[in-house]
Amino acid sequence: MLRNIKPGRRAKIRCHHAKGAVRQRLLDLGFVPDTDVEVIRKAPLGDPIECCVANYTVALRNSEADLIEVESY
């Protein structure tokens, strides 16, 4: 899952398991299958995480990051 990727590492999105409005939000933000994503940093307490996807940065809650299945490089 995206939450488990360490800062500075890249991964490829395989799929996500979100439903409803959360699913649509993730798709609108660019979290679509076969897209590269990089974890930039995590907050001091681990939530949220900052990711770079489609050439811009997005902050995701851990609950959202747990819905995104990735393949690490």
Side-chain angles (χ1 to χ4, degrees):
M1 297 300 174
L2 182 59
R3 178 181 183 178
N4 300 328
I5 302 298
K6 296 190 184 299
R9 302 295 308 256
R10 296 179 64 85
K12 183 175 286 232
I13 297 172
R14 295 182 71 201
C15 65
H16 53 81
H17 305 284
K19 304 265 190 263
V22 175
R23 175 181 165 77
Q24 189 60 49
R25 178 177 176 262
L26 292 173
L27 291 171
D28 290 345
L29 289 172
F31 291 93
V32 295
D34 296 325
T35 302
D36 292 333
V37 62
E38 179 181 1
V39 176
I40 304 298
R41 64 179 153 230
K42 295 185 179 186
L45 297 177
D47 193 14
I49 64 173
E50 182 180 0
C51 302
C52 180
V53 63
N55 294 325
Y56 62 94
T57 58
V58 178
L60 291 178
R61 296 180 185 102
N62 282 337
S63 59
E64 296 168 332
D66 281 340
L67 299 172
I68 301 172
E69 187 176 328
V70 297
E71 181 180 336
S72 182
Y73 298 175

